[in-house]
Amino acid sequence: MRLSGPAAPQGVGVPRPEHALPVARPPRTDAGHSWWWLGVHGGAGVSTLERAVPGGRDAGRAWPVSPASPAASVVLVARSSAHGVRAAQSAARQWASGMVTGVDLLGLVVVADAPGRRPRALRDLVRLVSGAVPRLWEIPWVEPWRLGESPLTHLPGECAPLARDLTRLTRTA
């Protein structure tokens, strides 16, 4: 695991995004999870990741901020489509500009939106956005997931390092 971008918001000088995700109290505050999955757009893949990589909870498409608790560990989730990666870029800008406080952004998970090699324009966009978040993880296309099969029976190898990294990051936090 390596850092791909800043570990903390930069604040001054980072333009605010045109579209910002809401900030809300976490949907549930039980102790059964270590981080929040924040889907930056509908269909990002949060519910699948929640089942495939135990330890996270769906934040309900809002930054999970609670003034009464320590910083919430958050992982952004987006599909690898242009729409998804731009939504991730907007969320990263929201965090980097200081619009969201009380959050420890762990990184971004990009879930493939189609089988095969990603077009160059999208590869370049993902690379650009990865420079705005602390870490980047990529999950490949899994056809059985599209067909509604359990993520646990068709787990790509990329889920193991993601789980290991998130467990290590939230254990030391």
Side-chain angles (χ1 to χ4, degrees), residues 15-74:
R16 291 175 173 242
E18 194 173 306
H19 303 287
L21 292 171
V23 175
R25 288 189 181 272
R28 288 187 237 158
T29 56
D30 62 340
H33 70 283
S34 299
W35 64 85
W36 294 99
W37 299 112
L38 175 51
V40 298
H41 60 89
V46 168
S47 60
T48 300
L49 285 173
E50 194 173 14
R51 290 184 308 235
V53 182
R57 176 72 47 92
D58 185 351
R61 293 203 32 220
W63 291 98
V65 177
S66 177
S69 65
S73 296
V74 175

Side-chain angles (χ1 to χ4, degrees), residues 135-172:
R135 293 162 197 84
L136 172 70
W137 297 276
E138 298 187 65
I139 303 298
W141 178 259
V142 182
E143 186 68 25
W145 289 359
R146 183 178 191 209
L147 299 173
E149 295 184 30
S150 170
L152 297 176
T153 58
H154 301 281
L155 204 58
E158 290 81 356
C159 286
L162 171 60
R164 232 182 359 257
D165 291 348
L166 292 175
T167 300
R168 183 174 29 237
L169 287 166
T170 54
R171 207 175 275 156
T172 59

Side-chain angles (χ1 to χ4, degrees), residues 71-128:
S73 296
V74 175
V75 180
L76 301 177
V77 181
R79 287 284 177 185
S80 64
S81 64
H83 170 75
V85 180
R86 285 190 190 111
Q89 184 177 36
S90 181
R93 187 177 292 154
Q94 185 180 3
W95 169 77
S97 70
M99 290 175 67
V100 180
T101 58
V103 166
D104 178 19
L105 182 61
L106 302 178
L108 166 65
V109 176
V110 175
V111 180
D113 71 321
R117 187 176 165 107
R118 195 175 298 145
R120 182 179 184 90
L122 291 177
R123 287 194 314 265
D124 291 348
L125 185 57
V126 168
R127 186 171 32 253
L128 174 72

